[in-house]
């Protein structure tokens, strides 16, 4: 993010990928962490794992609303699939009980399988969508399934204007 | 005299004796072992080594009772019943006993659903939201309580802020003062098991109490059968002389029965209503003016299925993680079950906190040391002090703090 105020034409140039972020490796080597945005849990459907799809204002200039919402909705779908109470979970539960839960030494639970899918999805999203925009999503399981942490990076070359510029310029539209 | 001699050669008795010794050894090893666990997880799962020892020793009470007393009830009768009735009787007792022990160990040593403490950035973010939502509090005035209102199934549920863990507790979560952690779907802290009972281990706890009730009833019944059969052969008084232990143990089983079966019945009632012990004690969903239970499916079978046959939730604790002594990059907590976190791990780097922690004037006493520790931790990490933009939290916070169904 340049320190000069962004012109109208620059703002319409979204997605923000004209800086030097091309992939995750470059992001890690040439960028410094500016800010972290936390997407909280949505408890309107009870205690199931679901995240709010409300678009945080700090990401206004960094990524399109639809891309962000698609990511969060996809994650919510994965978690709903993992926590679905139906035929498969009953069979798994009964089988586990009968084998005194030793069956879990041999097979993976459905939740674990879905968690792996989620991890792959987040990795793929980071590589394709978020890293080119200077963002990085952290898997919610690493934050106790409480938040989706999105790290906002600044290019080290332009960090002379300091870290607060991302938030000030995003709010000063 | 004859029965004692046959006892020593009885294979079932020998197997049980070996199991008892193994279990006693195991509990000693487990008590001595996990100091490493406590030190490494100090931040996210603080649990002093003394507490772990106490947990093991409390769990040992349950173990020693089940392991020593209950089988003794049965050991004396085993050979007699196997010969006179059926060898399946002691075999089934052994299987049931193994199941009880397995469930006890599983309940005791599995993570109940502990919510790890918020890392400094997350804690700061939440503080900023709270500050923005509260607006300007005049000096000397008490700041409003940190509560979020959430609408779940058309009922308003209040989420409280935990000053120790620095998070807004999810619905049904509660902070256990003994374990010093917030636990998801907190039921109660069981001193016999030496662990909290929460979302992840409630079904094991229930199966433990249920199978223990069945085992107690089974042993009680067959002890009576044993005494009755012997009395038919040699008279009641002679039976008492020959096997005084059995009669005594019938009495022990009788008194044990009431407490264990009562507990199982109570938990069956809670499961059918999809309530936790904590909610029942506090009367969260009872009374005319109170909110109705928003988590209940209004159907006993559905409630039971959800609690007992629901998915097996992963643990979000990193029991094997190494805590770095320098506070620049606190270790994120991984799922101990899933091994897929490596690729999406953010690179550890200097973290910049956007605002210092705002101490709440009326913070409860127990939270003050943790807030002090928190600020100490954040100040020691190298960072640039950058006050956040005043407009963006305000834009985000009011909509977040007061959620309602859209």
């Amino acid at each position: 993010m340049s320190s000069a105020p962004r012109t109208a034409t620059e703002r319409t140039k979204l997605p923000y990928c004209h800086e030097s972020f091309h992939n995750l490796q470059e992001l890690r080597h040439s960028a410094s962490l500016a800010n972290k945005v936390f997407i909280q849990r949505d408890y309107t459907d009870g205690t199931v794992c679901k995240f709010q799809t409300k678009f945080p204002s700090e990401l206004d200039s960094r990524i399109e609303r639809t891309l962000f919402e698609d990511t969060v909705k996809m994650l919510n779908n994965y978690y709903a699939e993992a926590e679905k109470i139906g035929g498969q979970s009953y069979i798994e539960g009964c089988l586990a009980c009968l084998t005194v839960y030793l069956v879990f030494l041999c097979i993976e639970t459905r939740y674990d399988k879905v968690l792996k899918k989620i991890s792959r999805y987040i990795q793929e999203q980071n590589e394709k969508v978020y890293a080119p925009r200077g963002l990085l999503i952290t898997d919610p399981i690493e934050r106790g399934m409480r938040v989706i942490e999105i790290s906002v990076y600044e290019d080290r070359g332009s960090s002379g204007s300091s870290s607060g510029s991302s938030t000030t310029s995003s709010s000063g539209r | 005299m004859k029965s004692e001699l046959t006892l020593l050669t009885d294979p079932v008795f020998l197997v049980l004796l070996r199991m008892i010794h193994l279990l006693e050894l195991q509990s000693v090893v487990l008590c001595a072992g996990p100091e490493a666990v406590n030190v490494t997880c100090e931040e996210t799962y603080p649990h002093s080594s003394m507490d772990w020892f106490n947990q093991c020793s409390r769990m040992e009470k349950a173990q020693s009772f089940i392991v020593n007393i209950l089988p003794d009830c049965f050991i004396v009768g085993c050979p007699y019943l196997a010969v006179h009735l059926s060898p399946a009787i002691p075999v089934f007792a052994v299987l049931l006993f193994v199941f009880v022990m397995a469930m006890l160990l599983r309940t005791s040593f599995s993570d109940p659903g502990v919510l790890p403490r918020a890392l400094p950035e997350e804690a700061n973010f939440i503080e900023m939201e709270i500050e923005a939502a509260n607006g300007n509090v005049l000096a000397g005035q008490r700041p409003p309580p940190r509560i979020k209102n959430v609408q779940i199934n058309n009922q308003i549920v209040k989420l409280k802020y935990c000053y120790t863990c620095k998070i807004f507790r999810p619905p049904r979560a509660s902070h256990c003062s003994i374990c010093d952690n917030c636990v998801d779907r907190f039921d109660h802290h069981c001193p016999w098991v030496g662990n909290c009972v929460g979302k992840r281990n409630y079904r094991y706890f229930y199966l433990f109490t249920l199978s223990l009730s069945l085992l107690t009833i089974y042993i009680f019944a067959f002890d009576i059968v044993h005494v009755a059969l012997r009395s038919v052969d040699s008279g009641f008084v002679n039976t008492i002389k020959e096997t005084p232990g059995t009669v005594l143990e019938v009495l022990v089983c009788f008194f044990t029965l009431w407490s264990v079966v009562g507990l199982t019945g109570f938990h069956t009632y809670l499961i059918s209503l999809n309530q936790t012990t904590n909610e029942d004690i506090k009367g969260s969903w009872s009374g005319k003016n109170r909110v109705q239970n928003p988590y209940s499916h209004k159907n006993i079978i559905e409630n039971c299925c959800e609690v007992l046959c629901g998915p097996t939730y992963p643990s979000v604790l990193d029991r094997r993680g190494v805590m770095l002594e320098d506070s620049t990059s606190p270790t994120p907590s991984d799922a101990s079950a899933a091994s897929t976190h490596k690729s999406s791990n953010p690179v550890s780097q200097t973290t910049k906190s956007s605002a210092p922690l705002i101490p709440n004037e009326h913070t409860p006493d127990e939270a003050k040391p943790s807030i002090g520790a928190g600020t100490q931790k954040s100040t020691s990490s190298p960072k640039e002090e950058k006050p956040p933009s005043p407009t963006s939290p305000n834009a985000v916070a009011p909509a977040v703090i007061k959620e309602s169904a859209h």
Side-chain angles (χ1 to χ4, degrees):
Chain A
M1 184 86 71
S2 62
S3 52
R6 301 182 72 206
T7 60
T9 44
E10 273 181 37
R11 281 200 293 274
T12 56
K13 258 197 227 163
L14 288 174
Y16 172 72
C17 51
H18 64 279
E19 297 289 344
S20 57
F21 306 139
H22 295 298
N23 53 28
L24 277 174
Q25 271 67 40
E26 269 204 45
L27 190 74
R28 285 171 187 161
H29 292 304
S30 65
S32 64
L33 185 65
N35 197 7
K36 284 191 182 184
V37 181
F38 295 93
I39 312 300
Q40 304 285 340
R41 285 270 294 267
D42 178 9
Y43 293 115
T44 51
D45 286 340
T47 49
V48 291
C49 186
K50 194 176 166 198
F51 291 95
Q52 293 176 4
T53 49
K54 197 178 71 62
F55 189 67
S57 54
E58 290 94 334
L59 300 179
D60 243 339
S61 56
R62 304 299 292 248
I63 190 166
E64 295 99 315
R65 189 178 286 257
T66 49
L67 281 174
F68 169 80
E69 280 175 6
D70 285 344
T71 309
V72 179
K73 278 181 187 156
M74 195 65 189
L75 286 175
N76 286 341
N77 287 342
Y78 275 127
Y79 283 116
E81 182 199 329
E83 296 193 7
K84 199 165 76 106
I85 300 169
Q88 199 185 348
S89 74
Y90 294 153
I91 293 170
E92 199 180 69
C94 290
L95 179 68
C97 181
L98 288 171
T99 58
V100 195
Y101 295 93
L102 292 172
V103 74
F104 291 141
L105 295 171
C106 312
I107 66 168
E108 218 175 28
T109 66
R110 193 164 68 133
Y111 214 113
D112 286 335
K113 285 184 196 149
V114 177
L115 284 177
K116 285 192 175 162
K117 273 204 263 183
I118 289 171
S119 183
R120 276 197 300 268
Y121 174 73
I122 289 178
Q123 168 77 1
E124 178 211 325
Q125 287 285 296
N126 272 336
E127 278 168 9
K128 290 188 187 158
V129 178
Y130 288 86
R133 291 167 174 77
L135 301 170
L136 202 65
I137 298 184
T138 307
D139 197 334
I141 197 87
E142 294 177 19
R143 295 291 177 263
M145 306 256 290
R146 274 197 314 266
V147 287
I148 301 175
E149 185 184 293
I150 303 180
S151 311
V152 180
Y153 286 89
E154 293 288 341
D155 188 18
R156 283 215 181 107
S158 64
S159 64
S161 60
S162 78
S163 54
S165 61
S166 65
T167 46
T168 46
S169 53
S170 69
S171 56
R173 284 189 293 156
Chain B
M1 194 59 195
K2 202 169 150 191
S3 59
E4 275 87 355
L5 282 172
T6 52
L7 190 65
L8 288 170
T9 54
D10 183 48
V12 174
F13 172 72
L14 290 169
V15 164
L16 280 170
L17 204 59
R18 240 176 274 139
M19 277 166 67
I20 291 165
H21 286 148
L22 272 171
L23 284 162
E24 280 173 351
L25 270 172
Q26 190 189 50
S27 50
V28 166
V29 166
L30 285 165
C31 286
E35 251 206 37
V37 175
N38 303 317
V39 169
T40 56
C41 294
E42 212 51 41
E43 183 61 31
T44 54
Y45 190 33
H47 210 177
S48 74
S49 49
M50 225 17 234
D51 288 342
W52 192 275
F53 181 77
N54 288 337
Q55 176 181 330
C56 281
S57 53
R58 275 182 227 124
M59 206 269 294
E60 270 184 74
K61 275 190 223 158
Q63 251 189 8
S64 57
F65 170 75
I66 299 164
V67 166
N68 293 317
I69 297 178
L70 282 187
D72 287 345
C73 298
F74 212 63
I75 285 166
V76 179
C78 270
Y80 189 89
L81 288 168
V83 164
H84 285 78
L85 281 180
S86 162
I89 294 171
V91 167
F92 184 73
V94 168
L95 290 175
L96 202 49
F97 173 75
V98 166
F99 189 79
V100 167
M101 290 310 301
M103 288 300 106
L104 170 64
L105 291 172
R106 185 99 196 195
T107 310
S108 210
F109 292 108
S110 63
D111 169 22
V114 169
L115 297 168
R117 282 160 168 63
L119 295 174
E121 298 97 11
E122 193 188 333
N124 289 340
F125 187 83
I126 295 173
E127 291 274 351
M128 274 162 48
E129 273 186 3
I130 294 169
E131 190 195 346
N134 289 345
N136 287 322
V137 179
L138 298 174
Q141 233 183 29
R142 184 190 297 263
R146 298 181 170 193
I147 288 181
K148 259 194 213 182
N149 285 322
V150 173
Q151 193 171 41
I152 300 176
N153 287 338
N154 300 319
Q155 312 278 355
I156 300 288
V157 173
K158 290 186 192 305
L159 303 185
K160 290 189 189 165
Y161 181 77
C162 181
Y163 288 96
T164 316
C165 303
K166 300 202 194 88
I167 55 168
F168 274 99
R169 284 185 212 126
R172 312 190 94 173
S174 189
H175 191 94
C176 175
S177 49
I178 302 170
C179 301
D180 198 27
N181 282 302
C182 274
V183 177
D184 211 351
R185 203 188 185 277
F186 178 74
D187 193 85
H188 67 285
H189 182 97
C190 183
W192 285 81
V193 159
N195 196 9
C196 272
V197 176
K199 182 168 81 171
R200 291 189 76 245
N201 66 353
Y202 185 62
R203 75 192 64 178
Y204 310 133
F205 175 76
Y206 179 72
L207 287 173
F208 165 63
T209 55
L210 184 66
S211 53
L212 186 60
S213 311
L214 291 174
L215 183 66
T216 315
I217 292 170
Y218 189 84
I219 289 179
F220 179 66
F222 279 102
D223 264 347
I224 290 178
V225 165
H226 172 228
V227 168
L229 286 177
R230 275 189 192 264
S231 304
V232 163
D233 286 342
S234 48
F236 185 67
V237 178
N238 284 335
T239 308
I240 296 177
K241 282 184 203 166
E242 280 174 20
T243 56
T246 309
V247 178
L248 179 67
E249 281 138 11
V250 165
L251 287 174
V252 168
C253 274
F254 180 74
F255 291 113
T256 312
L257 211 76
W258 294 112
S259 47
V260 178
V261 171
L263 187 67
T264 309
F266 174 64
H267 279 282
T268 312
Y269 161 76
L270 289 180
I271 288 174
S272 62
L273 294 178
N274 203 337
Q275 272 191 26
T276 63
T277 308
N278 195 36
E279 287 163 358
D280 188 71
I281 287 173
K282 284 187 187 165
S284 308
W285 317 123
S286 59
K288 277 183 272 181
N289 299 326
R290 297 275 200 150
V291 178
Q292 296 302 306
N293 187 358
Y295 312 107
S296 171
H297 296 279
K298 313 286 183 218
N299 179 347
I300 290 178
I301 296 175
E302 275 193 48
N303 284 338
C304 290
C305 287
E306 189 198 309
V307 176
L308 299 174
C309 302
T312 40
Y313 298 95
S315 171
V316 295
L317 286 186
D318 179 18
R319 288 182 191 266
R320 289 176 292 277
V322 177
M323 201 186 86
L324 303 172
E325 279 313 310
D326 60 321
S327 49
T328 49
S329 44
T331 312
S333 50
D334 308 346
S336 48
S339 54
T340 55
H341 51 273
K342 297 292 170 284
S343 49
S344 55
N345 239 345
V347 175
S348 58
Q349 60 236 311
T350 57
T351 56
K352 299 176 190 179
S353 68
S354 40
L357 275 179
I358 301 145
N360 190 337
E361 286 172 30
H362 298 278
T363 307
D365 282 332
E366 77 233 11
K368 277 175 191 154
S370 59
I371 287 181
T375 25
Q376 217 176 31
K377 199 174 191 303
S378 54
T379 48
S380 63
S381 62
K383 60 189 195 303
E384 292 172 22
E385 290 286 350
K386 260 299 152 194
S389 155
T391 54
S392 53
N394 279 330
V396 171
V400 171
I401 299 287
K402 291 187 173 60
E403 298 174 46
S404 56
H406 301 298

